[in-house]
């Protein structure tokens, strides 16, 4: 085997699905990220989840089609490079790397900020500095497991993802035994005015909750029969996560009270509060453990993701070739894993010490969403050029791209006209802009060619 090859043919279909589900982190997203969606959509939270789920499944269809023609560790970067050329692929790949790195920061702080709140619901008070050791633990856990090999990391992810989905669905069904579903939650009537735009902003948070399902594409060089496993795996993972979010959002909304959802986000971890309300201390404790587990799993999958995208970019020569190093025994891009661990940890600790972990969490949420939506939007366009190259372009592919990008465009526009400009938004957007300027300068110096 070539010294610089990944472990080809080592990842099964189930493990590909685990990468996508683990990347979305359904337990953590249900307990944390969907709270942000509820802050705008109120009682129409399930509608925001339903609309976002439809868009994600359409996008997963697009990813499935693309995976038939392109299999690479570069994932989204490779898809865009194949269709739109190396220059565009580099710039969007650079944005995707920022998305993956800030996603790691977001994951660390999801535990560092929200776990103390969950413990408080359980009656356990923690010191104000507890976020720092929690961040370090999640970072080292994810980085170490990813470093040790793709199969050990995905075996862990597979087991934990099954547990997450099973328990979140179980809690949702438990709540439904006490409070039946309410179809009015799937209308705009329960969202504050302007209801359409507020549901649109809620959808942005749901997209953030889904972010990670597309990371199945980075296993294109390690999966068994990648044309089939990646194609099926990306859609299956998106579907499983979507079903989980739909049931959880409806259960949490009716469980809290459809007319009381304006207070849902006033609690740091309302999902844990609901666990205590409907299942007592034991259920609240289980959900808290799931929150920790979900953060650890998510950390592993995003280390897997960023390491393979950067590895592929370095192999293509658009990044420093020293970043394409592969461990002789573990067959992992260990150089990038170590770099990502150090970068994301230092970024988290320094900025959290300066402006506070809660503020960093809000800011990187903006940055992460920007990088994700731009990458997905561009990849949709790239598909058309890939299909044309292989003489497979038809009207349905064009309509698919138009529909997906129209939905994404609406969500972005809704955020622009609805979200108040504050320091967190400015920091999040500023980080993205500065990163892209650095990338453009670096690319010009390296003379990235089409």
């Amino acid at each position: 085997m070539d010294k610089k090859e990944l472990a080809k043919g080592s990842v099964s279909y189930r493990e590909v699905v685990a990468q996508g589900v683990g990347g979305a982190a359904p337990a953590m997203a249900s307990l944390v990220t969907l709270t942000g969606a509820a802050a705008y959509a109120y009682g129409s939270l399930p509608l925001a989840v339903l609309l976002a789920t439809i868009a994600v499944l359409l996008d997963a269809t697009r990813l499935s089609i693309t995976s038939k023609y392109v299999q690479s560790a570069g994932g989204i970067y490779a898809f865009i490079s194949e269709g739109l050329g190396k220059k565009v692929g580099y710039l969007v790949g650079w944005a995707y790397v920022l998305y993956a790195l800030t996603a790691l920061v977001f994951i660390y702080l999801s535990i560092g900020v929200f776990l103390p709140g969950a413990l408080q619901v359980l009656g356990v008070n923690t010191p104000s500095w507890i976020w720092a050791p929690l961040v370090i633990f999640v970072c080292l856990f994810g980085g170490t497991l990813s470093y040790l090999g793709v199969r050990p990391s995905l075996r862990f992810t597979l087991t934990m993802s099954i547990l997450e989905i099973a328990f979140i669905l179980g809690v949702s069904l438990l709540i439904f035994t006490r409070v039946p579903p309410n179809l009015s939650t799937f209308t705009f009537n329960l969202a504050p005015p302007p209801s359409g735009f507020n549901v649109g902003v809620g959808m942005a948070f749901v997209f953030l909750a889904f972010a990670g399902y597309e990371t199945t594409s980075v296993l294109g060089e390690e999966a068994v029969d990648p044309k089939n496993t990646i194609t099926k795996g990306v859609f299956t993972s998106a579907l499983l996560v979507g079903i989980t979010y739909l049931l959880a959002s409806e259960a949490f909304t009716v469980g809290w009270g459809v007319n009381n959802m304006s207070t849902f986000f006033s609690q740091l971890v309302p999902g844990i509060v609901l666990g205590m309300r409907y299942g007592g201390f034991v259920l609240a404790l289980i959900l808290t453990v799931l929150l920790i587990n979900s953060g650890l799993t998510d950390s592993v999958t995003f280390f897997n993701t960023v390491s393979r995208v950067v590895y592929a970019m370095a192999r293509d020569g658009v990044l420093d070739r020293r970043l394409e190093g592969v461990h002789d025994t573990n067959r992992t891009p260990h150089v990038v894993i170590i770099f990502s661990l150090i970068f994301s940890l230092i970024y988290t600790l320094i900025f959290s010490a300066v402006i506070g972990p809660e503020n960093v969490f809000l800011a990187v949420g903006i940055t992460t969403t920007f990088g994700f939506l731009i990458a997905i939007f561009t990849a949709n366009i790239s598909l058309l050029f890939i299909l044309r190259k292989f003489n497979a372009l038809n009207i349905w592919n064009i309509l698919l791209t138009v529909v997906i990008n129209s939905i994404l465009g609406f969500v972005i526009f809704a955020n622009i006209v609805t979200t108040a400009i504050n320091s967190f938004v400015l920091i999040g957007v500023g980080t993205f802009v500065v990163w892209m300027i650095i990338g453009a300068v670096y690319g010009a110096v390296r003379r990235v060619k089409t």
Side-chain angles (χ1 to χ4, degrees), residues 11-12 15-17 19-20 71-73 75 150 154 215-224 226 229-230 304 308:
V11 177
S12 68
E15 291 162 338
V16 168
V17 173
Q19 169 73 16
Q71 301 88 41
S72 169
V150 67
L154 291 180
T215 65
T216 53
S217 60
V218 304
L219 299 175
E221 296 176 28
E222 296 161 284
V224 176
T229 52
I230 302 297
N304 285 345
R308 281 153 181 80

Side-chain angles (χ1 to χ4, degrees), residues 33-53:
T33 314
L34 291 187
T35 303
Y40 290 91
Y42 287 16
S44 294
L45 171 63
L47 174 64
V49 172
L50 175 62
L51 294 175
T53 299

Side-chain angles (χ1 to χ4, degrees), residues 181-187 250:
N182 186 335
L183 292 180
S184 66
T185 59
F186 292 96
T187 69
E250 177 65 13

Side-chain angles (χ1 to χ4, degrees), residues 72-426:
S72 169
I76 297 293
Y77 152 74
F79 295 166
I80 295 171
S81 295
E82 179 70 22
L84 300 177
K86 188 175 287 187
K87 280 187 178 180
V88 177
Y90 163 72
L91 286 174
V92 180
W94 181 261
Y96 193 81
V97 169
L98 177 64
Y99 148 68
L101 288 172
T102 53
L104 284 171
V105 177
F106 188 84
I107 293 161
Y108 305 157
L109 292 174
S110 292
I111 301 300
V113 172
F114 291 92
L115 180 57
L119 292 174
Q120 192 170 33
V121 174
L122 297 173
V124 179
N125 293 318
T126 56
S128 59
W129 48 261
I130 194 65
W131 65 268
L134 289 173
V135 162
I136 294 171
F137 172 70
V138 176
C139 175
L140 293 178
F141 183 92
T144 300
L145 202 53
S146 180
Y147 181 95
L148 291 176
V150 67
R151 293 220 64 189
S153 66
L154 291 180
R155 285 171 182 166
F156 168 80
T157 302
L158 177 62
T159 303
M160 296 300 105
S161 296
I162 291 172
L163 288 174
E164 283 185 45
I165 289 178
F167 273 101
I168 292 298
L169 292 180
V171 170
S172 300
L173 294 176
L174 173 63
I175 293 175
F176 288 147
T177 63
R178 304 274 293 277
V179 186
N182 186 335
L183 292 180
S184 66
T185 59
F186 292 96
T187 69
F188 290 95
N189 298 334
L190 297 174
S195 57
F197 285 149
N198 276 306
V199 169
V201 178
M203 288 173 64
F205 280 92
V206 182
F207 281 133
L208 181 59
F210 268 104
Y213 76 92
E214 84 293 344
T215 65
T216 53
S217 60
V218 304
L219 299 175
E221 296 176 28
E222 296 161 284
V224 176
D225 188 15
K227 284 188 178 182
N228 289 316
T229 52
I230 302 297
T231 298
K232 297 175 183 177
V234 65
F235 190 86
T236 303
S237 58
L239 181 61
L240 289 173
V241 171
I243 292 171
T244 303
Y245 290 166
L246 279 170
L247 287 175
S249 63
E250 177 65 13
F252 288 6
T253 300
V254 298
W256 195 267
V258 294
N259 295 316
N260 298 323
M261 285 298 286
S262 60
T263 66
F264 187 77
F265 57 92
S266 64
Q267 297 289 328
L268 191 59
V269 277
I272 306 295
V273 174
L274 282 171
M276 183 71 79
R277 180 186 301 177
Y278 289 96
F281 179 86
V282 173
L283 182 56
L285 177 61
I286 291 174
L287 290 175
T288 301
V289 172
L290 282 177
L291 174 62
I292 301 170
N293 168 80
S294 193
L296 296 176
T297 304
D298 207 11
S299 177
V300 172
T301 58
F302 270 94
F303 270 111
N304 285 345
T305 300
V306 69
S307 61
R308 281 153 181 80
V309 173
V310 173
Y311 157 80
M313 294 177 73
R315 185 180 58 189
D316 289 348
V318 298
L319 293 180
D320 193 314
R321 288 195 179 276
R322 287 174 292 185
L323 293 171
E324 67 174 318
V326 173
H327 194 279
D328 290 336
T329 303
N330 300 333
R331 315 310 303 173
T332 53
H334 67 297
V335 176
V336 187
I337 292 173
I338 294 172
F339 169 80
S340 302
L341 188 153
I342 294 172
F343 179 91
S344 60
L345 183 58
I346 291 177
Y347 184 100
T348 307
L349 293 177
I350 290 179
F351 280 95
S352 295
V354 174
I355 66 174
E358 298 88 354
N359 296 331
V360 176
F361 175 83
L362 293 172
V364 297
I366 298 291
T367 307
T368 300
T369 304
F370 256 88
F372 174 71
L373 292 179
I374 287 174
I376 293 299
F377 189 94
T378 313
N380 288 332
I381 297 173
S382 179
L383 169 64
L384 302 181
F385 290 87
I386 292 173
L387 292 174
R388 187 178 69 173
K389 183 182 296 186
F390 288 93
N391 297 316
L393 182 63
N394 58 50
I395 187 64
W396 299 112
N397 301 133
I398 296 173
L399 287 175
L400 177 64
T401 298
V402 170
V403 170
I404 298 171
N405 280 1
S406 296
I407 295 173
L408 293 177
F410 165 72
V411 170
I412 293 171
F413 180 74
N415 276 266
I416 292 172
V417 301
T418 305
T419 305
I421 301 299
N422 54 43
S423 58
F424 315 126
V425 173
L426 292 176

